[in-house]
Amino acid sequence: MGYVVSALRENPELAIFLTIAVGFLIGQIKFGSFSLGIVVGSLLAGVLIGQLGIQVPPLVKTLFFDLFLFTTGYKVGPQFFRGLKADAMPQLMLTVLICVTCLLTAFGFSKLLGYDVGTAAGLLAGAFSESTVIGTAGDAINRLALPEAERAALINNIPVAYAVTYLVGTAILVWYIPTIGPKLMRVDLLAEAARMRAQSGAAGGSGEGLLSAARPFDVRAYRVTNTKLFNRSIAELEAMPEDVRAFIVRVRRGETLLDPTPDLVILEGDVAAVIARHEAHALRGDVIGPEVSDKALLDLPVESLDVVVTSRTIVGKKLSELSGLDLAHGVFLAKLFRAGLEIPVAADTRVDRGDVMRLIGTVADVERAVQAIGYPDRPTAATDMIFVGTGIFLGGLVGLLSVVVWGVPLTLTASGGALVMGLVFGWLRSVYPFFGRIPEAAVWIFDTLGLCIFIAIVGLSAGPSFVTGLQATGVTLIGVGLASALIPHTLGILVGRYVLKMNPLIVLGACAGAGTITAALRAVQDKAQSSYPALGYTVPYAVGNILLTAWGPVLVAMMTI
């Protein structure tokens, strides 16, 4: 055992990897339907292993924190700027209300109970599930004109308050938002979700196939025996008024395979390969004629491809408006993603710049649609590190600038600047997607692992003083964390529903987003049995991340005035 302890002390990188392993293990333990999560797990593991007196160079923590913040901005950049548009103003106003209330609540309770600035920052970070406050507030405390030992003590108090209030705040909000939120608004989530689905379906009209494209698709072969289809061109057949979308992708005439040109005339006895929803084949396939087995006819390439939306002719349109465009011919929309989150494929869903459409169809049709929609997001393992390194460097230069407010110098810090530049670079990537690619796996490394390593090092550094700090403030922090979490979201639900007149599902999604609580969004979606709350989540999540992160140095300044 002495050998292990000595190895950890002399080689702190080993302590970091051990902390991550133990932290991820702790984070996966479930208590009913609730789990601590890997971030809190990493903090607790760091505190535990930190009792051995592990010293980690501060630069290591900063490097991973900057990577995490830049990637956070990169992910939400398009939606952050989307939130500045007029039609997103209700969600933006609700987010600002919740975030400002979060700041004032943490400040008010901290002053009332005599908390020091470190404990106040930990309360803000934990009660509102925003781990980045630990870093930005810590940077701000390091700039205070205090003795080094006092600054270190204040910084070590941040993870103590964070651990207690995070557990209380997250657990209560994951239950409160989907359970008490609907009661405050006097609505039934299931009924509201059903009503929205009915409205979307009614608005779909001729675009039903496009609007229901989350279902599986199939290509099948039919011998044409319906006399109504004889001697008609493919263009005529596909233009016939039907309540399903189906397209002929190849034709067999005797031993010859023919490409489906619009003027190709279908004759009696031809065999047509038709792409459509699985349900359309099952219910309407016999309208064409008997299904046949024709491997050679069906042996054609079909592609599933993610496409980043950049075209101005697409941005801002409803999905129901796209079904009549030429780009939709032969192509089906399987899924729609915004800021990495799947959102409903519904008639009234508007397409935003930076959204990702997962298209299904023949290679020729999909490639044609890509040209009209945006940029193909093909799988690759390469990360544009020129983009990442330049972004963090420029962000640091911006973040180091300071302004004086009421005699107090305020600065984003280099880390906060990385977040801001991540926003800008993420938006640039959505507009000019031919550069700046960060694959999903790399995003996970920079984002999730970057944050967990940062939090793990915070725990390792705070370990020796953690227990003492918890004994001093732990009891009061439980009650304060509970109240601090509930007050802003209760106000947000009431204002969103009764003042801003927002849809209840969107209100709850926006509350989860503004508080950056993805677990609460999933709970709302499960309760409503619908993905519609995600439409209210993305813009508030983007704006909430920025505001709550910025509150770190703001709270430090408020507490020290």
Side-chain angles (χ1 to χ4, degrees):
M1 187 64 186
Y3 167 73
V4 174
V5 172
S6 177
L8 292 175
R9 287 174 176 169
E10 295 175 6
N11 302 274
E13 70 275 12
L14 300 181
I16 294 174
F17 284 114
L18 177 61
T19 301
I20 289 298
V22 175
F24 273 61
L25 179 63
I26 294 173
Q28 293 174 4
I29 298 175
K30 288 188 174 293
F31 304 91
S33 60
F34 177 75
S35 62
L36 296 177
I38 56 177
V39 176
V40 174
S42 298
L43 175 62
L44 296 180
V47 168
L48 177 63
I49 297 171
Q51 302 302 315
L52 301 176
I54 310 295
Q55 300 295 320
V56 181
L59 180 60
V60 178
K61 178 177 67 174
T62 303
L63 285 173
F64 282 99
F65 189 54
D66 287 355
L67 269 176
F68 160 70
L69 285 179
F70 178 81
T71 308
T72 298
Y74 173 87
K75 291 194 307 180
V76 304
Q79 292 311 306
F80 177 81
F81 289 103
R82 163 80 176 83
L84 303 180
K85 295 183 178 179
D87 60 344
M89 274 300 155
Q91 294 182 26
L92 180 61
M93 293 168 63
L94 180 61
T95 303
V96 172
L97 172 68
I98 292 174
C99 291
V100 170
T101 308
C102 288
L103 174 65
L104 296 179
T105 302
F107 174 72
F109 276 121
S110 297
K111 282 294 188 181
L112 180 66
L113 298 175
Y115 290 159
D116 60 62
V117 63
T119 301
L123 169 62
L124 178 64
F128 309 117
S129 305
E130 188 53 60
S131 308
T132 57
V133 173
I134 297 176
T136 56
D139 286 345
I141 290 174
N142 267 326
R143 287 173 166 74
L144 296 178
L146 297 172
E148 183 177 349
E150 188 174 344
R151 292 200 306 270
L154 292 175
I155 291 174
N156 287 339
N157 283 343
I158 298 178
V160 176
Y162 170 80
V164 175
T165 55
Y166 179 92
L167 294 176
V168 173
T170 301
I172 194 64
L173 287 175
V174 169
W175 167 82
Y176 184 85
I177 291 177
T179 304
I180 305 301
K183 298 183 185 300
L184 294 174
M185 296 185 290
R186 300 177 183 177
V187 296
D188 183 307
L189 287 189
L190 287 174
E192 186 63 29
R195 185 182 68 81
M196 290 189 71
R197 279 193 297 270
Q199 286 183 342
S200 297
S206 62
E208 181 183 355
L210 179 64
L211 303 177
S212 302
R215 303 182 183 183
F217 300 90
D218 201 0
V219 181
R220 296 187 183 182
Y222 299 94
R223 187 172 301 280
V224 182
T225 60
N226 186 341
T227 57
K228 294 181 179 179
L229 308 182
F230 296 167
N231 302 314
R232 289 177 176 266
S233 69
I234 289 180
E236 289 180 284
L237 294 177
E238 292 180 346
M240 292 176 65
E242 294 288 344
D243 57 356
V244 296
R245 293 176 71 242
F247 302 94
I248 298 174
V249 292
R250 185 181 278 180
V251 176
R252 173 185 290 282
R253 182 166 296 161
E255 297 299 321
T256 305
L257 298 180
L258 304 174
D259 291 330
T261 59
D263 57 353
L264 178 64
V265 175
I266 300 298
L267 305 179
E268 180 180 1
D270 284 351
V271 180
V274 179
I275 184 172
R277 289 185 297 139
H278 178 78
E279 292 80 0
H281 286 294
L283 297 175
R284 304 293 299 277
D286 57 359
V287 171
I288 301 172
E291 184 175 359
V292 298
S293 176
D294 193 327
K295 182 177 180 181
L297 177 67
L298 297 177
D299 186 17
L300 73 167
V302 175
E303 185 175 24
S304 175
L305 180 65
D306 288 349
V307 183
V308 181
V309 177
T310 60
S311 173
R312 295 186 179 184
T313 61
I314 302 299
V315 172
K317 289 187 179 294
K318 295 181 180 180
L319 290 181
S320 58
E321 297 174 315
L322 301 184
S323 60
L325 301 180
D326 181 62
L327 66 90
H329 181 272
V331 175
F332 295 85
L333 178 61
K335 292 184 178 181
L336 183 63
F337 299 93
R338 182 170 297 161
L341 192 72
E342 185 175 349
I343 63 174
V345 178
D348 56 356
T349 299
R350 290 189 180 275
V351 179
D352 287 345
R353 181 182 294 276
D355 284 356
V356 177
M357 290 182 162
R358 181 162 298 166
L359 304 181
I360 292 179
T362 63
V363 171
D365 285 333
V366 170
E367 294 300 327
R368 174 180 46 77
V370 168
Q371 298 302 316
I373 293 173
Y375 184 84
D377 194 18
R378 302 186 190 278
T380 177
T383 297
D384 188 346
M385 287 306 301
I386 298 174
F387 179 84
V388 175
T390 302
I392 295 176
F393 168 71
L394 294 178
L397 294 181
V398 172
L400 291 175
L401 300 175
S402 64
V403 295
V404 178
V405 179
W406 297 323
V408 178
L410 294 179
T411 176
L412 286 172
T413 73
S415 297
L419 175 63
V420 171
M421 201 56 65
L423 286 172
V424 175
F425 274 43
W427 173 77
L428 285 174
R429 160 72 180 170
S430 72
V431 178
Y432 307 105
F434 48 83
F435 74 99
R437 176 173 172 77
I438 306 179
E440 193 62 34
V443 168
W444 186 91
I445 291 290
F446 295 162
D447 183 24
T448 304
L449 189 60
L451 175 61
C452 288
I453 290 180
F454 166 75
I455 292 294
I457 297 174
V458 168
L460 289 170
S461 302
S465 60
F466 188 90
V467 175
T468 303
L470 188 61
Q471 291 174 340
T473 58
V475 176
T476 61
L477 275 174
I478 294 176
V480 170
L482 185 66
S484 298
L486 292 180
I487 290 173
H489 288 89
T490 301
L491 180 62
I493 291 170
L494 295 175
V495 171
R497 178 57 176 162
Y498 297 110
V499 178
L500 299 177
K501 306 296 182 182
M502 296 168 62
N503 178 279
L505 294 178
I506 303 301
V507 169
L508 298 183
C511 286
T516 67
I517 312 173
T518 304
L521 172 67
R522 294 187 182 126
V524 173
Q525 290 178 317
D526 290 343
K527 193 81 171 179
Q529 297 180 17
S530 168
S531 60
Y532 278 98
L535 293 174
Y537 179 84
T538 53
V539 168
Y541 177 77
V543 178
N545 261 294
I546 305 308
L547 288 181
L548 291 174
T549 300
W551 286 170
V554 171
L555 180 63
V556 171
M558 292 171 65
M559 291 291 295
T560 53
I561 291 177

